[in-house]
Amino acid sequence: MKKRILFFLSIGIVSADTIPTIFIEDSNNTPTNISSQSLNQKTINSMIQGNGDIGSVLKLNPSVKVENKTSSTDKLSDITASKIEINGAKFYQNSFLLDGVSNDSLLDPVNNNKHSISDVPGNENELFIDLDLIESIKVFDSGISAKYGNFNGGVIDVITKRADFQTRSKIKYKSTKSSFVNFYYKDVESEKDALSIQDIKKPNFKKDFFSIFHTRAINDKSTILSTYSYKKSITPKKHFSAYKNTQALSHNFLLKYSYYFEDDSILDLTGTYSNYENKLFKRNVKSSDYSNIGGGYNLKANYEKDYSSIFLTSALSYSYGKNSRENSEKDYKSWIKTNTKSWGLYKKSGPMYSNEGGYGNIDKSSNTLNFNTHIKSKKISQFNLEHLLSSGFDFKYSKSKYLRKENTYIYSNAKLNADIICNGSKSGCINNEQYFKDRKIYKKENVSADILSLGTYVQDELNYKNIKFTPGFRVDYNDYLKNVDFSHRINANIDLFSNKKTNLFFGINRYYSKSFLAFKLREARSPFQSEYRSTYKNELNSSDVPENVINPSVWNTSAQKGDQIYLYNNLETPYTDEKVIGLKQNILKNTFLIKYIQREGKKQFREEKGEYKSFLRPDGYLAYYKPISVKNTGKSSYE
């Protein structure tokens, strides 16, 4: 049987101005030349489309997997940055550096549930950075220098633009929408293929991108650069019998001041602001509008100094990041569909419900102070050996907070009763119609957690004739897991014929993962509480209940048990051991590379549920939970 499979072509409108120059550098500058990929300007220009994020220019790197925003019709309207995975590791296991300072979010990058009751979705980066703001990108996927720590995947090192002494301005606008999308079909023979595409529908969306750039010299020693970008996406979604718009909005602003000292040192002062808001609703739920908000700001000072014998770089930054939810309704109710609660959709079988409400406001935020300094020597010649010594120190302190200002109640198990008398219980009862028998309480909370991380390293690049050997050593510590982690980085490169054309390289390396503030926040938070009630003579809050008899119509502690307490005790830091070997061959102006990478993830975190335990609530009642203990029993492998 022949079916048709769908393809699409998206057409965008861009201003006539040229696309800004982006320099994409691979890891050729690593001591052992373990290269990933080099992209020329022509290729880059052809790839800068879609949402204009960093992932869009890394798609041809065979070690990098970039989320495909055009693989489904739902993702066509998405304006968020693409997820980037390197050598099999998850997107949140990379280290993302922005002007030498970590841009990794420690709040909870794993959580992507937009409709969670007790949490908000996170992102792997504190700030979303557009290509319009970027001067250069370095991607390291294997044989990674001891300079970099706290990752299991790879390193993406991004440098933002620095103003030159020319006065220039640029305005750019781009737009795409569903009417620009064309569909092309081809016949398929497989029934499986046919079933996989039968639900594909033409999307309905509109995306607008706007950016403005200005740079100028203040005097003969200092310059200033400012740039702003705006993205907006509108997508109608089915809501009951009609359609309702969802929106995504993104703002990026960067202001950089650069001062050039007479001794050839440079000071950059940079302020960056990024905000992302997603306006959503729950499908077929009345009064369910809410917004998920993320982003933050960063204030940073970078200093570079070229001495006669060493090159020094230092960076100091303060950043604020947030993931929050704004919701006009704090309670969620599943009414049985009746004449007074009539908006529920028709079902052929089973009970019909009219759902309404939301899950309340949640604020998650982090404040981070970063400092690092790196020293790299000039070439030192001794005993027919050339040395390039490098060393550095990293300091990072992050404090996070989880805030729910009001109790949130999730009402369920509605009971029809034509004789019910509410007696003032308006939140979950309708006189002579129905009332709720069960509810869960997510208590108002204000909990905080902090992590102090330290790291230092030393590395030597030794050159002897046609051999480069780079031993490196790194030590990391954080006061959450309280482990001192020692990682080796040993890489070598042999120019087989001493003509810089045929290079054999290999490496043995260890990479320790980062610790997330989300771990500590989960430990500090309380599980939800469950309550139930019944009636006394068809009344709630009855005043006729005899003395010494428990009033069934008030809310009582339920035997239902929560499972939201996480325990992180006596854990080792997860790490990945890497072995890599490869051959690089230059022929004319082309480079051919074959590389084999083997990675073994060890001591990985794995959740294990225990037996139910009781705890005493603040109101004196007993409640129950099933603890989720995190153990070092996980492992992974990648080739």
Side-chain angles (χ1 to χ4, degrees):
M1 178 180 64
K2 288 190 175 182
K3 295 290 182 181
R4 294 186 298 173
I5 192 166
L6 172 150
F7 294 87
F8 56 82
L9 174 64
S10 179
I11 304 171
I13 298 176
V14 189
S15 70
D17 202 354
T18 58
I19 296 175
T21 301
I22 307 295
F23 298 96
I24 305 299
E25 301 180 16
D26 63 13
S27 47
N28 277 318
N29 64 337
T30 59
T32 48
N33 287 331
I34 301 180
S35 172
S36 295
Q37 184 185 19
S38 180
L39 302 180
N40 59 35
Q41 192 63 54
K42 181 179 179 181
T43 304
I44 295 165
N45 288 344
S46 69
M47 296 176 65
I48 299 180
Q49 48 189 316
N51 292 336
D53 59 283
I54 291 171
S56 65
V57 295
L58 302 180
K59 292 181 178 179
L60 294 185
N61 189 321
S63 296
V64 177
K65 179 182 177 182
V66 179
E67 179 186 14
N68 191 349
K69 294 286 187 179
T70 61
S71 62
S72 70
T73 54
D74 287 339
K75 291 183 178 180
L76 279 173
S77 60
D78 190 358
I79 63 172
T80 59
S82 301
K83 306 296 184 187
I84 299 171
E85 298 181 358
I86 298 178
N87 282 334
K90 299 298 184 182
F91 60 90
Y92 53 84
Q93 293 177 314
N94 298 320
S95 175
F96 189 106
L97 300 176
L98 186 62
D99 291 329
V101 176
S102 172
N103 189 42
D104 298 330
S105 173
L106 302 183
L107 278 176
D108 195 357
V110 182
N111 180 30
N112 61 2
N113 185 355
K114 296 179 180 180
H115 305 300
S116 173
I117 299 174
S118 60
D119 215 335
V120 290
N123 299 293
E124 65 274 26
N125 298 325
E126 280 191 337
L127 304 177
F128 289 137
I129 301 299
D130 290 338
L131 286 173
D132 288 338
L133 311 183
I134 293 172
E135 178 69 26
S136 65
I137 304 172
K138 298 176 184 177
V139 180
F140 305 93
D141 67 82
S142 58
I144 301 173
S145 166
K147 176 181 178 181
Y148 302 103
N150 300 309
F151 66 91
N152 281 144
V155 176
I156 302 171
D157 196 349
V158 174
I159 303 299
T160 58
K161 289 182 176 179
R162 176 183 285 156
D164 52 32
F165 286 89
Q166 295 181 349
T167 299
R168 292 182 292 118
S169 298
K170 180 182 295 185
I171 296 177
K172 184 172 69 173
Y173 173 77
K174 180 174 70 172
S175 180
T176 185
K177 55 185 177 180
S178 51
S179 61
F180 294 170
V181 177
N182 294 319
F183 291 84
Y184 298 89
Y185 298 86
K186 73 174 183 180
D187 292 334
V188 295
E189 302 291 339
S190 167
E191 182 71 22
K192 181 180 178 181
D193 290 340
L195 291 173
S196 68
I197 65 166
Q198 63 181 236
D199 292 329
I200 296 177
K201 298 177 182 178
K202 184 173 182 177
N204 188 6
F205 70 94
K206 186 177 189 299
K207 291 197 294 188
D208 292 296
F209 299 79
F210 171 80
S211 65
I212 184 169
F213 170 90
H214 178 73
T215 178
R216 60 170 298 171
I218 298 176
N219 51 45
D220 60 352
K221 292 183 180 181
S222 59
T223 61
I224 192 166
L225 175 150
S226 62
T227 180
Y228 168 76
S229 64
Y230 168 79
K231 299 177 183 179
K232 181 178 181 180
S233 173
I234 298 177
T235 309
K237 298 286 186 180
K238 190 73 178 291
H239 189 54
F240 294 109
S241 58
Y243 282 85
K244 186 176 179 178
N245 283 341
T246 64
Q247 283 190 30
L249 304 168
S250 174
H251 302 268
N252 269 264
F253 178 76
L254 181 142
L255 181 66
K256 177 182 281 191
Y257 169 82
S258 300
Y259 187 86
Y260 298 80
F261 295 90
E262 292 182 355
D263 61 356
D264 293 331
S265 60
I266 303 173
L267 174 66
D268 291 321
L269 301 177
T270 308
T272 309
Y273 171 80
S274 176
N275 186 73
Y276 174 77
E277 182 176 3
N278 199 2
K279 297 181 179 181
L280 302 165
F281 55 84
K282 291 204 71 175
R283 185 176 180 180
N284 303 329
V285 177
K286 183 180 178 182
S287 304
S288 62
D289 294 53
Y290 68 96
S291 294
N292 286 330
I293 302 171
Y297 61 85
N298 182 286
L299 302 173
K300 182 164 35 190
N302 291 80
Y303 178 73
E304 299 177 6
K305 171 65 175 173
D306 192 352
Y307 293 93
S308 59
S309 59
I310 64 170
F311 183 73
L312 169 71
T313 60
S314 295
L316 174 66
S317 78
Y318 166 77
S319 62
Y320 169 81
K322 68 175 181 179
N323 293 323
S324 62
R325 178 175 68 217
E326 294 182 357
N327 197 324
S328 59
E329 299 290 334
K330 70 179 187 66
D331 300 329
Y332 186 88
K333 301 169 184 176
S334 293
W335 300 101
I336 294 176
K337 184 178 180 180
T338 61
N339 290 334
T340 59
K341 304 290 182 182
S342 59
W343 59 84
L345 296 180
Y346 172 76
K347 291 170 60 179
K348 291 184 179 180
S349 61
M352 291 183 289
Y353 293 97
S354 293
N355 299 317
E356 68 173 332
Y359 302 142
N361 295 345
I362 291 176
D363 288 315
K364 288 172 67 176
S365 61
S366 66
N367 293 272
T368 303
L369 181 66
N370 270 286
F371 172 75
N372 65 66
T373 186
H374 305 279
I375 298 173
K376 188 170 184 177
S377 74
K378 304 294 178 65
K379 287 184 179 181
I380 303 171
S381 297
Q382 189 177 34
F383 304 116
N384 294 323
L385 285 175
E386 285 187 347
H387 297 262
L388 280 175
L389 294 168
S390 58
S391 181
F393 172 77
D394 300 313
F395 166 91
K396 183 174 184 178
Y397 175 75
S398 297
K399 185 172 184 178
S400 65
K401 182 173 70 173
Y402 175 96
L403 175 64
R404 184 192 284 273
K405 293 183 179 180
E406 298 180 283
N407 291 349
T408 287
Y409 297 90
I410 310 298
Y411 291 90
S412 60
N413 195 10
K415 174 75 172 178
L416 291 175
N417 186 338
D419 299 317
I420 187 67
I421 299 174
C422 297
N423 281 330
S425 178
K426 298 180 180 179
S427 60
C429 180
I430 303 173
N431 279 314
N432 305 118
E433 186 183 286
Q434 61 179 305
Y435 70 100
F436 289 109
K437 298 182 67 175
D438 298 310
R439 72 180 183 184
K440 293 178 180 177
I441 309 173
Y442 291 81
K443 288 281 191 178
K444 62 180 181 180
E445 287 188 288
N446 187 356
V447 298
S448 61
D450 61 349
I451 290 181
L452 172 65
S453 301
L454 302 171
T456 186
Y457 71 94
V458 62
Q459 180 173 280
D460 187 11
E461 178 187 335
L462 296 96
N463 291 270
Y464 177 73
K465 295 184 178 180
N466 62 332
I467 299 174
K468 288 184 179 181
F469 178 59
T470 310
F473 186 73
R474 183 177 179 89
V475 183
D476 288 286
Y477 171 82
N478 71 69
D479 65 350
Y480 176 46
L481 296 180
K482 301 186 185 304
N483 299 322
V484 179
D485 301 316
F486 301 91
S487 55
H488 53 271
R489 310 286 175 85
I490 302 173
N491 298 284
N493 186 314
I494 303 174
D495 185 355
L496 293 179
F497 305 108
S498 300
N499 59 5
K500 298 182 180 181
K501 291 185 177 181
T502 306
N503 292 83
L504 174 68
F505 56 81
F506 53 89
I508 301 174
N509 302 281
R510 175 170 291 183
Y511 312 123
Y512 279 93
S513 68
K514 67 190 79 173
S515 293
F516 295 109
L517 283 163
F519 299 158
K520 295 189 77 171
L521 286 178
R522 287 175 186 171
E523 282 191 294
R525 286 165 48 191
S526 300
F528 66 78
Q529 300 165 16
S530 298
E531 294 183 333
Y532 71 95
R533 66 179 177 182
S534 57
T535 61
Y536 183 76
K537 295 182 178 179
N538 292 320
E539 289 187 47
L540 295 177
N541 304 326
S542 174
S543 59
D544 296 331
V545 179
E547 292 185 10
N548 302 322
V549 175
I550 297 177
N551 190 339
S553 64
V554 300
W555 290 106
N556 301 285
T557 303
S558 172
Q560 184 175 352
K561 302 170 178 65
D563 60 356
Q564 290 182 317
I565 285 186
Y566 285 79
L567 303 176
Y568 297 84
N569 295 321
N570 301 317
L571 288 170
E572 298 180 56
T573 308
Y575 64 90
T576 297
D577 280 337
E578 175 192 83
K579 297 176 183 177
V580 57
I581 186 170
L583 183 69
K584 186 170 71 171
Q585 177 67 52
N586 293 328
I587 301 177
L588 299 178
K589 293 183 179 181
N590 301 301
T591 298
F592 296 88
L593 173 71
I594 182 169
K595 178 169 59 176
Y596 171 74
I597 300 172
Q598 181 191 70
R599 285 186 170 184
E600 296 290 336
K602 301 175 182 179
K603 304 293 183 180
Q604 305 296 304
F605 289 162
R606 184 177 179 182
E607 297 178 0
E608 297 180 6
K609 288 191 175 183
E611 298 299 324
Y612 282 113
K613 295 185 178 181
S614 63
F615 71 100
L616 194 65
R617 300 187 330 193
D619 56 13
Y621 287 96
L622 280 177
Y624 301 88
Y625 69 94
K626 179 178 280 191
I628 300 175
S629 297
V630 179
K631 304 289 183 66
N632 284 115
T633 55
K635 60 182 180 179
S636 64
S637 62
Y638 172 83
E639 294 180 281

